């Protein structure tokens, strides 16, 4: 058993505050806790969270999570006292008082690791800790005393990272077919000999195999739309033929998801396909956008002094992680999601390439770059696990690694992903980023950011025409908004044609929109504009066209340099020029889209698009002014840019058809815009929903009464004994309910987590929720879909009201074009089905779905499986039913409440 460190510990929850020291554990008041923590560093678990609960946001101390990140970088752990106890073999505490005492034991267990000869993350620890000591990291002196000096000089981080090597271009995949029998046979291998054969899973594997048949005509892919109910096992059903085709053809299958949770699940399933970890690493690759990966050049700058204070400590811990990470993915990979939040996210985003300023082969770490390694590994892999956005962007930009065989899981999100990918937004934030990419730092700006001229300095010094085009582009970019643009708009003093346009947009939105006091974003249609806005749009259009011309000239000049290949063009310069051409193509495309958008201002509307003006705000604070353009039907560019060039596509989901049947699925996936009709496949869920689940509609809760809503949530969570997912349509109501009930629930041993309240990322909140069956979680749309919490940890879903779509300009246009109220109904049914789908994830699960709104139309109840009993009941009856079916408190409630309720016939 680990020895207790001779340091005091402080633990705070919604139930109380505890101090632990050599004299034992005792509860204390908030004032005493703050005073003690200010006098002496205390051992803490998640300092920002403890500080929030104490009402003392500047709280600092010896955070165990920081120590864990130092000792075990790239190792998963649930960031709670119980989670660390289980990970380190320390007894799990029974209550919050015991938890305070165990903080010291956790610290002792982590310090014991330093003396373990098998500690695999030892290399680099002494060097990192020495630097952390200079930076004032609280743990550093204690770590140094136990760690001892390294026996020999430790290698530098960047020399320890593996290098990737160039490979010959992979030949096109061979034309092979996968028969239904072969697919089912491979499925049996993946599920294992002792697994029970599932008829629906086998049928889906056979159907999915048809997408790999040779394509009959260009622009007409083999498209399969498959609705596979929860529990079918659709992941292995499509991985079976996909892995078989990849082996036989020598090609690559891209599996695309919408959520990071499913990406992690798919990556884990790879162990079934390829047992050897090194071979699996080569043949199954996770791909994301460049902005998700650690940039080694940015990290080097941070480690060498570009970061100060707490951000510098974070950089050192991320440097420890970089040496042991699987792939360098900072968003959803093996970097703990909670680590940046410990530092209030100071510096974390600056360690990625979010501005597209990569210098490619000009970077000293190019051969070790995580981004380049992932891209090259994806070209050689059998399976690439990606996301919808990356697949669409690669296809739309004609990237050489654009996939030809694609499986879209979570296919009900395909419409929304296409809507975002093919959108256009001309706003201050987008425009200033373009200026920074071209011009570079201005005024007193510091950091590593460099403009395009600096990145191409040596190349253009040899090419006069290229240098002239570059100078013209940089000069034209000065017409774009610069630092302080938003303040100038508010003061009525815009500078330059783009800012002048945005000032007119801002004035128009405030003049026409409603609910200014609500604090949310404002918008209005781009229609019936006054002369000042039209004139400003003409000036902005001229400025953008003046920018587009030198960008095009520079691109042509750089392409000519590559084609002529002069003597001075070494491999490093070539790679840098190729990177610049890629970046210029992206920016030219953006500028061209802005030009097309502004050319429509003052003219006739384009029936294919929806255009509007907006002011983006958070809690009343403006952060952008924008002109938006969206496709009325974004599946048109989806079909043209992504589906038509592919040879085979599978789109699958548990709720693919929605309430509109296959016609709706065809419309929402782009199948209607292809010359060849899709194949349809359906497999119902094997779960007995009538026995496993129940839906209750509460009829007597006053609308708009936050106190009554809060009370209902608290009593339902108490009745279920935790295990509750609360879904809200508004962040303000979520925060209001949490503030009213968190303390009450904590006092009876029921922890309450909340998105937008707790200073923890959403993925980590779900991990904590999954880990504790007595915990409950409140959240919004992000938690309604993509959350996989099987078992007792999720047994009750409570939705505060009917999830009607927000009445935006875009929604109004699509509603008008798609059947009016029927369009709204289809969206609500989809959201209800997705929320209900969180409940039953595997055999043996049980659960209840409660809607706290009497205004729930019966026509929408068809969103639930037909065998599920749906009843309209009072709140008291709902609480009693939840207690009897889910909680241990049914006996406590007694039989005072009648178990009646009106059972509904679902249309």
């Amino acid at each position: 058993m680990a020895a207790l460190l001779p340091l005091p510990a402080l633990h705070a929850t919604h139930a109380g505050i505890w101090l632990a020291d050599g004299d034992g554990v005792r509860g204390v008041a908030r004032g005493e806790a703050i005073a003690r923590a200010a006098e002496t560093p205390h051992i803490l678990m998640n300092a920002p969270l403890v500080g929030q609960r104490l009402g003392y946001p500047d709280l600092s101390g010896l955070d165990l999570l920081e120590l864990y990140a130092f000792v075990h970088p790239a190792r998963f752990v649930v960031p709670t006292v119980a989670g660390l106890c289980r990970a380190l073999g320390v007894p799990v505490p029974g209550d919050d008082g015991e938890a305070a005492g165990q903080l010291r034991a956790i610290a002792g267990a982590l310090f014991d690791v330093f003396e373990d000869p098998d500690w695999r993350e030892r290399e680099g620890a002494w060097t990192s800790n020495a630097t952390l000591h200079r930076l004032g990291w609280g743990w550093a002196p204690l770590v140094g005393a136990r760690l001892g000096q390294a026996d020999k000089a430790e290698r530098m981080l960047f020399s320890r990272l593996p290098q990737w090597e160039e490979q010959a271009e992979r030949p096109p995949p061979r034309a092979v077919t996968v028969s239904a029998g072969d697919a089912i046979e491979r499925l049996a291998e993946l599920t294992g000999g002792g697994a029970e054969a599932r008829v629906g899973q086998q049928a889906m594997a056979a159907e999915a195999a048809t997408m790999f048949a040779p394509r009959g005509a260009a622009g007409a892919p083999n498209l399969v739309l498959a609705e596979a109910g929860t529990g079918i096992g659709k992941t292995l059903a499509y991985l079976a033929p996909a892995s078989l085709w990849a082996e036989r053809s020598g090609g690559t299958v891209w599996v695309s998801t919408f959520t990071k949770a499913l990406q992690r699940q798919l990556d884990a399933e790879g162990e079934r396909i390829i047992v050897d970890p090194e071979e699996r690493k080569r043949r199954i690759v996770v791909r994301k956008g460049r902005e998700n990966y650690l940039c080694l050049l940015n990290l080097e700058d941070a480690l060498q002094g570009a970061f100060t204070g707490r951000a510098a400590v974070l950089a050192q811990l991320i440097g420890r992680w970089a040496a042991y990470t699987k792939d360098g993915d900072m968003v959803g990979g093996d970097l703990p999601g909670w680590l940046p939040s410990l530092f209030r996210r100071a510096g974390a985003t600056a360690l990625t390439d979010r501005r597209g300023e990569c210098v490619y082969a000009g970077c000293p770490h190019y051969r070790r770059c995580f981004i380049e390694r992932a891209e090259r590994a994806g070209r050689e892999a059998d399976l690439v696990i990606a996301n919808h956005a990356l697949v669409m962007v690669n296809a739309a930009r004609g990237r050489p690694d654009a996939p030809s065989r694609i499986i879209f899981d979570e296919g009900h999100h395909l419409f929304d992903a296409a809507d975002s990918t093919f959108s256009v937004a001309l706003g201050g934030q987008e425009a200033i980023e373009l200026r920074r990419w071209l011009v570079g730092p201005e005024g007193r700006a510091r950091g590593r950011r460099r403009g395009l001229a600096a990145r191409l300095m040596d190349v253009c010094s040899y090419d006069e025409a290229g240098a002239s085009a570059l100078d013209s582009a940089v000069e034209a970019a000065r017409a774009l908004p610069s630092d302080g643009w938003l303040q100038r708009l508010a003061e009525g003093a815009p500078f330059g044609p783009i800012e002048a346009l945005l000032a007119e947009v801002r004035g128009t939105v405030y003049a026409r929109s409603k609910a200014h006091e609500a604090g949310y974003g404002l918008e209005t249609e781009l229609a019936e504009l006054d002369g000042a806005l039209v004139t400003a749009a003409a000036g902005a259009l001229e400025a953008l066209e003046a920018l587009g011309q030198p960008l095009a000239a520079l691109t042509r000049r750089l392409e000519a340099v590559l084609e002529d290949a002069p003597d001075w063009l070494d491999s490093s310069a070539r790679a840098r020029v190729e990177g610049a051409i890629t970046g210029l193509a992206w920016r030219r495309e953006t500028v061209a889209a802005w030009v097309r958008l502004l050319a429509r201002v003052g003219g006739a509307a384009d029936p294919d698009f929806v255009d509007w003006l907006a002011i983006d705000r958070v809690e009343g604070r403006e952060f952008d002014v924008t002109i938006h353009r969206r496709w009325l039907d974004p599946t048109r560019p989806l079909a043209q840019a992504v589906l038509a060039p592919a040879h085979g596509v599978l789109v699958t989901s548990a709720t693919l058809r929605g309430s509109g049947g296959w016609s709706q699925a065809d419309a929402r996936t782009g199948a209607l815009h292809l010359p060849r009709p899709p194949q349809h496949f359906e497999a119902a869920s094997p779960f007995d929903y009538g026995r496993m689940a129940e839906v209750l509609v509460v009829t007597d809760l006053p609308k708009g009464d936050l106190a009554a809503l809060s009370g209902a949530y608290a009593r339902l969570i108490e009745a279920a004994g935790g295990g509750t997912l609360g879904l809200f349509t508004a962040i303000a109501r979520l925060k209001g309910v949490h503030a009213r009930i968190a303390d009450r629930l904590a006092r009876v041993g029921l922890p309450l987590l909340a998105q937008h309240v707790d200073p923890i990322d959403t993925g980590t909140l779900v991990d904590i929720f999954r880990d504790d069956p007595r915990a409950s979680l409140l959240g919004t749309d992000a938690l309604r879909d993509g959350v996989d919490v099987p078992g007792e940890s999720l047994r009750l879903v409570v939705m505060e009201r009917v999830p009607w779509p927000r009445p935006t300009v875009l929604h109004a246009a699509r509603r008008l074009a798609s059947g009016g109220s029927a369009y709204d109904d289809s969206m609500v049914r989809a959201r209800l089905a997705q929320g209900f789908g969180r409940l039953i994830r595997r055999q043996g699960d049980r659960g209840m779905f409660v809607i706290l709104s009497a205004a729930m139309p019966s026509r929408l109840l068809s969103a639930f499986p037909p065998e599920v009993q749906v009843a309209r009941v009072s709140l008291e009856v709902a609480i009693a039913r939840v207690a009897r079916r889910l909680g241990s408190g049914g006996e406590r409630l007694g039989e005072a409440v009648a178990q009646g309720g009106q059972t509904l016939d679902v249309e």
Side-chain angles (χ1 to χ4, degrees):
M1 180 176 176
L4 297 178
L5 279 191
L7 293 168
L10 172 63
H11 184 56
T13 72
H14 287 290
I17 305 166
W18 292 265
L19 286 173
D21 53 26
D23 296 327
V25 179
R26 62 188 178 89
V28 297
R30 179 178 285 108
E32 181 182 353
I34 294 173
R36 289 285 302 274
E39 293 171 357
T40 305
H42 281 58
I43 298 174
L44 309 168
M45 172 73 72
N46 195 330
L49 183 62
V50 174
Q52 182 188 78
R53 289 173 177 170
L54 293 178
Y56 184 56
D58 295 328
L59 177 72
S60 61
L62 300 170
D63 197 324
L64 287 170
L65 293 179
E66 293 180 25
L67 181 60
Y68 185 91
F70 177 88
V71 176
H72 293 309
R75 285 204 206 183
F76 173 81
V77 70
V78 177
T80 61
V81 176
L84 261 70
C85 285
R86 282 192 288 270
L88 299 170
V90 175
V92 176
D95 56 38
D96 288 329
E98 290 183 19
Q102 291 301 75
L103 293 180
R104 303 167 73 210
I106 291 170
L110 286 169
F111 274 77
D112 288 347
V113 174
F114 298 142
E115 300 173 2
D116 183 354
D118 297 326
W119 179 34
R120 64 182 180 87
E121 298 104 335
R122 180 179 298 278
E123 186 172 17
W126 186 86
T127 302
S128 293
N129 189 66
T131 304
L132 286 165
H133 199 303
R134 292 194 298 271
L135 294 172
W137 188 47
W139 285 112
L142 300 168
V143 170
R146 291 288 293 271
L147 185 59
Q149 187 166 350
D151 296 333
K152 58 182 179 179
E154 294 182 316
R155 293 180 297 167
M156 293 286 292
L157 164 66
F158 301 104
S159 65
R160 289 154 53 198
L161 297 175
Q163 297 190 43
W164 52 262
E165 296 181 356
E166 293 284 1
Q167 302 284 344
E169 187 174 346
R170 194 176 190 183
R174 296 180 295 275
V176 300
T177 58
V178 177
S179 70
D182 288 345
I184 294 173
E185 184 177 341
R186 169 56 64 90
L187 176 63
E189 295 175 9
L190 298 183
T191 55
E196 179 183 355
R198 289 186 271 185
V199 176
Q201 187 181 45
Q202 293 178 337
M204 182 174 174
E207 189 71 21
T210 62
M211 70 167 280
F212 297 106
R215 184 175 62 173
N222 301 315
L223 176 61
V224 179
L225 304 184
E227 181 172 278
T230 305
I232 286 294
K234 67 177 183 299
T235 302
L236 290 180
Y238 61 65
L239 286 179
S243 60
L244 199 57
W245 179 84
E247 291 174 10
R248 292 178 176 178
S249 70
T252 302
V253 180
W254 282 57
V255 183
S256 178
T257 77
F258 189 74
T259 62
K260 296 182 180 69
L262 183 55
Q263 275 193 326
R264 290 194 293 267
Q265 179 185 331
L266 284 165
D267 193 23
E269 293 286 9
E271 296 181 10
R272 297 174 182 259
I273 300 173
I274 304 169
V275 176
D276 181 72
E278 287 302 314
E279 185 181 3
R280 183 167 65 250
K281 186 176 180 180
R282 179 179 61 83
R283 292 173 54 189
I284 303 177
V285 174
V286 177
R287 280 286 313 276
K288 296 182 179 180
R290 299 179 65 88
E291 68 281 358
N292 290 274
Y293 295 93
L294 174 67
C295 170
L296 294 176
L297 190 56
N298 286 350
L299 176 63
E300 182 182 39
D301 282 352
L303 296 177
Q304 292 181 351
F307 283 16
T308 59
R310 289 282 291 163
V313 174
L314 173 62
Q316 290 294 326
L317 294 178
I318 289 182
R320 285 276 293 153
W321 165 79
Y324 298 98
T325 176
K326 171 187 174 184
D327 55 12
D329 179 6
M330 293 184 67
V331 185
D334 54 13
L335 179 74
W338 42 260
L339 182 58
S341 66
L342 300 181
F343 297 82
R344 281 78 173 181
R345 303 204 168 271
T349 56
L351 294 174
T352 61
D353 179 26
R354 292 185 176 273
R355 298 187 179 93
E357 295 178 336
C358 182
V359 294
Y360 297 91
C363 175
H365 309 301
Y366 183 63
R367 288 285 177 179
R368 295 179 171 86
C369 176
F370 291 117
I371 306 168
E372 296 295 329
R373 187 192 308 166
E375 288 190 0
R376 282 161 174 75
R379 298 173 195 170
E380 302 297 320
D382 290 357
L383 298 174
V384 173
I385 302 169
N387 54 60
H388 295 352
L390 179 64
V391 170
M392 292 182 190
V393 168
N394 279 2
R397 294 180 181 166
R399 294 289 300 273
D401 56 348
S404 64
R405 273 79 179 178
I406 315 171
I407 297 171
F408 287 108
D409 204 338
E410 298 179 311
H412 57 281
H413 283 299
L414 210 53
F415 184 96
D416 294 330
D419 191 25
S420 176
T421 300
F422 299 105
S423 64
V424 177
L426 170 53
Q429 297 292 353
E430 288 281 340
I432 200 171
E433 280 302 315
L434 177 57
R435 178 185 178 119
R436 289 168 177 166
W437 188 82
L438 290 166
V439 177
E442 298 178 271
R444 298 181 179 179
R446 299 179 58 188
R448 195 183 61 80
R449 177 187 296 147
R450 298 290 183 267
L452 187 60
R455 298 197 296 276
L456 292 176
M457 183 182 301
D458 58 340
V459 175
C460 289
S461 65
Y462 288 95
D463 186 77
E464 185 176 347
S468 176
L470 179 58
D471 290 343
S472 298
V474 171
E475 186 60 32
R478 298 189 189 280
L480 297 169
S482 57
D483 291 338
W485 69 273
L486 197 55
Q487 181 65 29
R488 289 193 292 274
L489 260 59
E491 295 171 351
F495 179 80
I498 309 297
E499 288 188 22
L501 170 62
L502 296 178
E504 292 296 332
V505 169
R506 182 176 182 273
T508 301
V509 173
Y510 271 119
R512 297 184 180 184
S513 61
K514 300 177 181 179
H516 295 179
E517 69 284 350
Y520 303 121
L522 306 173
E523 62 181 36
T524 189
E525 292 180 89
L526 182 62
E528 301 296 330
L529 304 175
D530 59 25
L533 198 155
V534 175
T535 300
L541 175 61
E542 184 177 340
L544 291 174
E545 288 177 334
L547 174 60
Q549 292 169 3
L551 291 180
L554 178 59
T555 301
R556 290 192 298 269
R557 192 59 229 151
L558 293 175
E559 289 172 343
V561 167
L562 287 182
E563 186 175 346
D564 295 342
D567 294 339
W568 52 264
L569 190 70
D570 58 15
S571 60
S572 174
R574 171 179 286 275
R576 200 156 59 255
V577 170
E578 290 174 344
I581 290 173
T582 300
L584 281 167
W586 172 14
R587 273 73 184 188
R588 286 176 57 202
E589 180 183 309
T590 298
V591 171
W594 289 349
V595 167
R596 291 191 295 271
L597 174 58
L598 293 185
R600 165 259 187 274
V601 175
D606 188 328
D608 290 334
F609 296 96
V610 182
D611 303 330
W612 73 98
L613 314 175
I615 298 174
D616 299 319
R617 305 192 300 175
V618 173
E619 296 181 350
R621 183 181 63 83
E622 294 181 27
F623 65 88
D624 206 359
V625 178
T626 317
I627 306 175
H628 290 276
R629 162 165 282 191
R630 296 285 181 107
W631 282 83
L632 184 64
D633 178 7
T635 66
R636 289 179 57 186
L638 167 67
Q640 178 182 0
V642 183
L643 303 183
H647 289 238
V649 180
L650 168 68
V651 183
T652 184
S653 166
T655 57
L656 189 63
R657 294 181 303 163
S659 60
W662 285 117
S663 60
Q664 178 175 320
D666 291 348
R668 300 280 291 184
T669 59
L672 291 180
H673 304 298
L674 295 173
R676 179 181 176 183
Q679 296 173 237
H680 295 147
F681 171 82
E682 176 187 359
S685 172
F687 297 144
D688 183 358
Y689 285 113
R691 179 183 58 83
M692 301 168 73
E694 183 179 0
V695 175
L696 302 178
V697 181
V698 173
T699 60
D700 60 347
L701 200 67
K703 183 178 180 181
D705 189 333
L706 184 61
L709 179 66
S710 302
Y713 263 101
R715 296 179 66 193
L716 286 167
I717 291 172
E718 288 171 343
T724 300
L725 176 63
L727 297 174
F728 289 76
T729 58
I731 296 174
R733 285 194 296 276
L734 182 156
K735 290 181 176 179
V737 169
H738 178 271
R740 288 171 178 262
I741 69 174
D743 291 358
R744 166 181 171 175
L745 293 173
R747 285 193 290 270
V748 293
L750 301 175
L752 183 64
L753 308 164
Q755 189 187 18
H756 305 291
V757 176
D758 293 318
I760 304 174
D761 66 288
T762 301
T764 300
L765 284 174
V766 174
D767 288 337
I768 298 172
F769 176 52
R770 183 186 295 113
D771 190 60
D772 185 355
R774 293 184 64 78
S776 296
L777 175 59
L778 307 182
T780 52
D781 286 356
L783 298 180
R784 191 183 58 229
D785 198 8
V787 174
D788 187 15
V789 183
E792 285 296 298
S793 289
L794 176 51
R795 49 193 181 272
L796 174 64
V797 174
V798 182
M799 189 171 280
E800 47 117 9
R801 60 175 57 185
V802 181
W804 294 108
R806 199 161 61 91
T808 63
V809 171
L810 179 61
H811 172 73
R814 288 178 176 161
R815 184 179 190 274
L816 184 64
S818 305
S821 61
Y823 179 72
D824 288 347
D825 287 357
S826 68
M827 294 185 69
V828 175
R829 288 192 186 98
R831 293 172 180 179
L832 292 172
Q834 291 157 17
F836 179 84
R838 303 308 98 212
L839 271 181
I840 310 300
R841 308 300 297 171
R842 66 186 183 192
Q843 293 290 356
D845 283 358
R846 59 193 176 118
M848 299 184 73
F849 189 95
V850 177
I851 303 172
L852 299 175
S853 174
M856 176 71 183
S858 296
R859 68 180 185 277
L860 300 180
L861 297 175
S862 59
F864 305 112
E867 63 270 29
V868 172
Q869 177 180 327
V870 182
R872 293 189 187 272
V873 298
S874 67
L875 177 61
E876 296 298 329
V877 170
I879 291 168
R881 287 199 180 186
V882 168
R884 176 174 291 105
R885 183 163 188 147
L886 305 180
S888 58
E891 295 79 5
R892 295 196 307 269
L893 289 173
E895 300 299 328
V897 181
Q899 295 304 304
Q902 178 188 359
T903 300
L904 304 177
D905 293 327
V906 180
E907 295 178 0

